[in-house]
């Protein structure tokens, strides 16, 4: 008998497993074959929404806690998973520059938006209006984190790589049984896969498709992430991610080519050095109508829980909501109304 089965091992499942294990609980993870949004993601953490220069929801609290959490996890996994990475906003006009300086006066933004203009770090990009820098930003090496954790779970025979079949789940008063594995509780962390989960699919994730190009360029020599229309994010070894697109309504035909053409147009407009496209990666962000996570308990089966709706900022949001869910499941501490999934299931 284990304490928890966790279904899905992207950022959601991983940060949940870490919180449970920290509390001395045993976990058994089942992860399937769907593309993980978590490994397609660039893994950036940045509490400022650069389109509008506003703070992300709960951004300051989430960022502070996430940094502590990932440091702790890196130590436990004996793997470096956090990189400091400056995020620069390229200004397209004097007006944009002025707008930045106006926003700096807002107390919640002043600790993140640098008051100094940043000189152009590369000749490969035209930036006559220079850049603004967001401070305290970085990147989680999500794939590395998941692989290291998966290895640790496999060594304890606590990881199964297969698609979970919801119809085989037996639910009793004191726990659940799945293919002979007994657990006190089960938590679904399936990302957009939640839409196929008969216990929680009424929560209706919206889903938001995103694509990056992976490019290689010797001449670019960038050490910072730059946000223009899209982000360009250095991955090391002359490789960069460029994107990501954000599409709720995706034309069904020819998506791959259409999105590639769109990204190439913007990329050619941004950089003036040769590059090669190495890959193109796409996944669906598990987004929710009200842009808040979906965390909580099934309204009928009290041993079934969900952690989802990490949206566009899973790296920052994940640790805080996993902590809250564990406190709810273990101590009965109430969930904040705005993240509690019952706000949808009761409708
Ligand atoms: C293009 C793109 C760029 C992004 N960039 C960033 C970024 O820079 N920073 C950031 O913070 N966030 C970013 N995000 C958002 C981030 O990726 C998500 O918030 C986060 O990955 C969601 O994690 P998750 O664990 O809920 O879902 P996922 O990562 O999708 O993981 C869900 C897991 O559940 C498994 N699963 C589903 N159904 C089943 C089943 N029936 N049985 C077994 N397993 C199942 C899937 O195989 C998968 O492994 C980006 C997303 C995209 C698409």
């Amino acid at each position: 008998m284990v304490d928890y089965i966790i279904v899905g091992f992207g950022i959601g499942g991983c940060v949940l497993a870490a919180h449970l294990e920290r509390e001395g609980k045993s976990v058994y993870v089942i992860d399937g074959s769907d593309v993980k949004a978590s490994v397609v993601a660039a893994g950036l953490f940045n509490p400022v929404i650069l389109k509008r220069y506003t703070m992300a929801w709960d951004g300051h609290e989430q960022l502070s806690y996430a940094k502590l959490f990932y440091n702790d996890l890196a130590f436990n996994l004996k793997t470096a998973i956090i990189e400091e990475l400056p995020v620069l906003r390229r200004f397209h006009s004097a007006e944009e520059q002025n707008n930045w300086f106006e926003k700096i006066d807002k107390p919640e933004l002043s600790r993140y938006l640098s008051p100094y203009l940043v000189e152009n770090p590369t000749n490969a990009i035209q930036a006559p209006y220079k850049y603004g820098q967001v401070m305290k930003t970085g990147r989680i090496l999500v794939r590395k984190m998941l692989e290291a954790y998966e290895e640790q779970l496999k060594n304890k025979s606590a990881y199964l790589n297969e698609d979970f079949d919801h119809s085989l789940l037996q639910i009793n008063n004191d726990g659940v049984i799945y293919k002979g594995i007994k657990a006190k509780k089960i938590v679904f962390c399936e990302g957009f896969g939640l839409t196929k989960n008969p216990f929680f699919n009424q929560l209706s994730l919206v889903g938001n498709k995103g694509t990056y190009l992976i490019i290689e360029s010797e001449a670019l020599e960038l050490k910072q992430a730059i946000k223009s229309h899209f982000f360009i994010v250095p991955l090391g070894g002359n490789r960069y991610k460029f994107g990501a697109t954000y599409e709720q309504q995706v034309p069904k035909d020819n998506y791959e080519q259409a999105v590639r053409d769109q990204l190439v147009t913007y990329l050619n407009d941004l950089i003036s050095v040769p590059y090669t496209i190495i890959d193109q990666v796409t996944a669906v962000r598990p987004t929710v109508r009200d842009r808040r996570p979906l965390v909580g308990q099934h309204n009928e089966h009290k041993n079934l829980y969900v952690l989802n709706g990490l949206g566009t900022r899973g790296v920052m949001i994940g640790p805080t909501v996993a902590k809250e869910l564990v406190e709810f499941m273990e101590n009965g501490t109430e969930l904040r109304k705005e993240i509690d999934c019952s706000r949808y299931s009761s409708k």
Side-chain angles (χ1 to χ4, degrees), residues 51-218:
K51 213 170 171 185
R52 299 190 291 271
Y53 301 145
T54 52
M55 283 299 285
W57 165 72
D58 228 6
H60 177 64
E61 292 72 18
Q62 284 168 8
L63 182 64
S64 310
Y65 180 64
K67 281 188 171 176
L68 293 175
F69 166 80
Y70 288 114
N71 269 314
D72 197 41
L73 183 59
F75 181 78
N76 289 339
L77 296 175
K78 299 181 181 60
T79 307
I81 58 170
I82 310 185
E83 269 182 9
E84 294 290 316
L85 183 67
V87 168
L88 302 183
R89 173 74 164 91
R90 177 186 176 232
F91 296 129
H92 299 94
S93 62
E95 199 186 335
E96 271 192 6
Q97 251 187 18
N98 289 339
N99 198 6
W100 176 275
F101 286 110
E102 269 169 33
K103 298 289 179 174
I104 285 176
D105 290 337
K106 301 212 166 199
E108 74 275 18
L109 286 168
S110 63
R111 58 177 116 178
Y112 294 109
L113 300 185
S114 166
Y116 305 107
L117 286 174
V118 176
E119 294 294 331
N120 198 357
T122 171
N123 292 330
I125 296 177
Q126 290 295 309
Y129 297 99
K130 303 186 182 175
Y131 300 83
Q133 180 174 349
V134 188
M135 298 176 291
K136 304 174 191 171
T137 54
R139 192 161 99 85
I140 298 300
L141 307 178
V142 178
R143 184 188 290 272
K144 210 170 154 195
M145 170 179 83
L146 295 179
E147 284 174 357
Y149 207 143
E150 184 181 319
E151 187 67 27
Q152 223 177 58
L153 291 167
K154 280 182 175 159
N155 289 339
K156 293 191 269 191
S157 303
Y159 188 94
L160 181 65
N161 188 206
E162 69 174 43
D163 290 332
F164 184 90
D165 181 346
H166 302 86
S167 69
L168 300 181
L169 183 68
Q170 295 169 249
I171 307 169
N172 308 317
N173 285 339
D174 55 350
V176 297
I177 307 176
Y178 181 75
K179 292 191 176 177
I181 305 154
K182 291 185 184 165
K184 291 180 189 153
K185 294 172 181 171
I186 183 164
V187 189
F188 294 99
C189 306
E190 299 157 302
F192 195 63
L194 186 78
T195 47
K196 293 184 221 141
N197 178 329
F199 302 109
F200 286 105
N201 59 5
Q202 83 285 1
L203 297 178
S204 59
L205 285 179
V206 181
N208 210 291
K209 206 165 181 176
T211 297
Y212 278 115
L213 294 180
I214 315 288
I215 64 160
E216 204 164 72
S217 171
E218 247 181 67

Side-chain angles (χ1 to χ4, degrees), residues 202 289-290 299 341-347:
Q202 83 285 1
R289 244 175 299 139
D290 63 7
N299 47 14
C341 65
S342 65
R343 70 191 190 276
Y344 284 111
S345 47
S346 60
K347 279 179 191 161

Side-chain angles (χ1 to χ4, degrees), residues 7-14 30-45 142 146 162-166 189-194 196 208-212 244-245 281-286 307-317:
V7 180
F9 200 65
I11 294 169
C14 174
I30 302 173
D31 187 49
S33 53
D34 277 3
V35 174
K36 291 182 209 291
S38 302
V39 300
V40 168
L44 292 178
F45 54 85
V142 178
L146 295 179
E162 69 174 43
D163 290 332
F164 184 90
D165 181 346
H166 302 86
C189 306
E190 299 157 302
F192 195 63
L194 186 78
K196 293 184 221 141
N208 210 291
K209 206 165 181 176
T211 297
Y212 278 115
T245 54
V281 287
T282 298
V284 182
R285 303 170 181 93
L307 191 163
N308 211 303
L310 297 184
T312 57
R313 289 172 185 263
V315 163
M316 254 177 51
I317 298 177

